[in-house]
Amino acid sequence: MEEVTVIGIDLAKPVFQLHGADASGRPVFRKKLSRAQLIRFMADQPPCLAAMEACASSHYWGREFIKLGHEVRLIPPIYVKPFVKRQKNDANDAEAIAEAVVRPTMRFVPVKSEEQQARSMVFKTRDLFVRQRNALINALRGHLMEYGIIAPPGRTFVKKLKAQTDAPESDLPPGVIELCRLHLEQIGILNVRIRGIQKRLEDAAKSDPETIRLQTAPGVGPVSVMAIQAFAPPMEGFRRGRDFAAWLVPVQKSTGGRQILGRTSKMGQRDIRRLLIIGAMTRVSWAVKNGPPKGSWLEQMLARKPRMLVAIALANKTARAIWAMLTKQEDYRDPAPAV
């Protein structure tokens, strides 16, 4: 058998498709293996380049293959798609992965460590509980609206809903009151769990000088810092802060020498981008209410641009500041210093 230099692996839960190729790119084997057979097969192979799409379980398999002496490269699925020939199936996907990984300009996703994935799990768990709490609050508001009990959106008005539900003059049916209390009880449980995870994130953000320094950027708090640590790739992979900001914020559709920046895309890392824009919007709202510092960049922008556009521009500057802090390439200057 010819020497295999590249193995493209299409990951799945029970069945894995492998495509082996030699140095010239010619196919050497195509195999379908079960989960239990995959590790044994890769252990029997000489050290080679193992390529996979950066999807569910890819980081686990990447760590396992590295232990066996293989070089591992993870490819974003969107970069593999152009190499799929005609019909989409597991065999063609594995072949496309093997072809994409040897392209000289291909971009890869670094394999995450177990610690980094543990940090991301903490953040994702908090995010899940927050979404569940919001869903319960909106459901409770919707149910009570049918009985004439109205409250503005947001968790700050849950106490108002509780008071109106428990009021004797509400005239709610006993079954409705019982169900509303179930909603309120579940919201209380989620509040406790979210506060516990929030405390854990805050303690972790205080334990590292680097995370403390990152929180000096505008709109960056403990949750944003821990999201950056959990999800951001190594900053050395970006040549400058502008590249890191472009990875996070708008999608580009430029042509003919004209720069055209469209809407915020789903590429890059959506959690970091969302938190940076929320933090920037908070900073902008504060400046609108209290007045921005005289002569600052923020004052000039707010005088001629919509608030949301200013917030995205501020988030862009924050992303560049984060890159500068993590790579120690340049000093950061706040475009909107506190009064």
Side-chain angles (χ1 to χ4, degrees), residues 6-10 17-21 49-52 93-95 97-98:
V6 178
I7 300 178
I9 306 173
D10 184 50
Q17 182 72 41
L18 279 68
H19 179 93
L49 176 60
M52 298 169 284
D93 286 348
E95 182 179 358
I97 293 169

Side-chain angles (χ1 to χ4, degrees), residues 119 204-233 235 244 248 272 275-276 279 283 315 317-330 332 334:
R119 288 196 296 267
K206 293 177 184 177
S207 63
D208 185 4
E210 190 174 77
T211 58
I212 295 173
R213 184 165 177 254
L214 284 177
Q215 293 179 67
T216 61
V220 177
V223 177
S224 300
V225 166
M226 299 312 295
I228 291 166
Q229 279 204 338
F231 300 119
M235 292 296 161
F244 177 58
L248 285 175
I272 299 175
L275 289 169
L276 291 182
R283 189 74 176 267
K317 283 182 171 291
T318 303
R320 293 165 65 178
I322 290 168
W323 179 88
M325 292 178 183
L326 292 177
T327 58
K328 300 178 175 61
Q329 296 290 326
E330 57 188 69
Y332 166 64
D334 191 340

Side-chain angles (χ1 to χ4, degrees), residues 58-63 66 72-74 109-113 116:
S58 61
H59 295 280
Y60 163 75
W61 288 113
R63 292 191 297 267
I66 289 173
V72 174
R73 293 181 184 175
L74 305 182
V109 177
V111 178
K112 293 182 179 180
S113 65
Q116 191 174 9

Side-chain angles (χ1 to χ4, degrees), residues 17 30-31 37 91 114 154 162 165 167 192 265 272 297 313 324 334:
Q17 182 72 41
R30 294 183 177 90
K31 288 183 178 292
Q37 294 171 328
E114 293 180 352
K162 185 177 185 302
T165 302
V192 172
S265 74
I272 299 175
W297 171 88
D334 191 340

Side-chain angles (χ1 to χ4, degrees), residues 36-94:
Q37 294 171 328
L38 180 60
I39 283 291
R40 293 199 298 268
F41 178 82
M42 294 299 292
D44 293 338
Q45 298 299 310
C48 62
L49 176 60
M52 298 169 284
E53 288 182 331
C55 58
S57 77
S58 61
H59 295 280
Y60 163 75
W61 288 113
R63 292 191 297 267
E64 294 298 314
F65 296 157
I66 289 173
K67 293 176 185 177
L68 298 175
H70 299 294
E71 180 185 358
V72 174
R73 293 181 184 175
L74 305 182
I75 313 172
I78 194 172
Y79 295 154
V80 175
K81 188 176 180 180
F83 295 90
V84 178
K85 297 183 179 70
R86 293 180 67 84
Q87 307 299 329
K88 184 190 183 305
N89 52 53
D90 291 348
N92 286 346
D93 286 348

Side-chain angles (χ1 to χ4, degrees), residues 117-297:
Q117 287 198 293
R119 288 196 296 267
S120 68
M121 184 176 177
V122 173
F123 178 83
K124 289 290 188 182
T125 302
R126 175 190 175 277
D127 205 36
L128 173 63
F129 288 163
V130 169
R131 291 198 307 272
Q132 289 178 344
R133 182 179 64 185
N134 291 341
L136 281 168
I137 293 173
N138 290 333
L140 182 62
R141 288 178 60 242
H143 291 314
L144 291 177
M145 194 178 296
E146 300 296 333
Y147 296 92
I149 297 177
I150 308 298
R155 61 188 178 91
T156 55
F157 297 98
V158 173
K159 291 182 179 178
K160 180 181 178 181
L161 289 175
K162 185 177 185 302
Q164 289 181 297
T165 302
D166 295 337
E169 63 274 12
S170 64
D171 294 330
L172 291 173
V176 172
I177 294 175
E178 181 182 354
L179 291 173
C180 287
R181 286 174 179 169
L182 284 177
H183 280 72
L184 292 167
E185 180 183 351
Q186 192 65 26
I187 291 170
I189 292 172
L190 289 172
N191 282 332
V192 172
R193 291 175 177 173
I194 291 170
R195 282 196 296 269
I197 297 175
Q198 183 84 17
K199 183 68 166 55
R200 181 174 176 178
L201 291 173
E202 291 174 356
D203 292 343
K206 293 177 184 177
S207 63
D208 185 4
E210 190 174 77
T211 58
I212 295 173
R213 184 165 177 254
L214 284 177
Q215 293 179 67
T216 61
V220 177
V223 177
S224 300
V225 166
M226 299 312 295
I228 291 166
Q229 279 204 338
F231 300 119
M235 292 296 161
E236 293 75 14
F238 301 98
R239 290 180 298 173
R240 52 186 180 271
R242 188 184 298 270
D243 293 342
F244 177 58
W247 180 71
L248 285 175
V249 190
V251 63
Q252 185 174 169
K253 296 181 180 179
S254 302
T255 183
R258 291 181 56 205
Q259 276 200 343
I260 304 173
L261 298 180
R263 64 179 178 82
T264 301
S265 74
K266 294 183 179 179
M267 298 179 68
Q269 220 299 321
R270 286 176 284 180
D271 298 299
I272 299 175
R273 176 172 57 241
R274 173 170 55 86
L275 289 169
L276 291 182
I277 292 177
I278 289 173
M281 198 63 200
T282 303
R283 189 74 176 267
V284 169
S285 299
W286 181 92
V288 170
K289 180 180 178 181
N290 300 283
K294 297 297 181 182
S296 66
W297 171 88

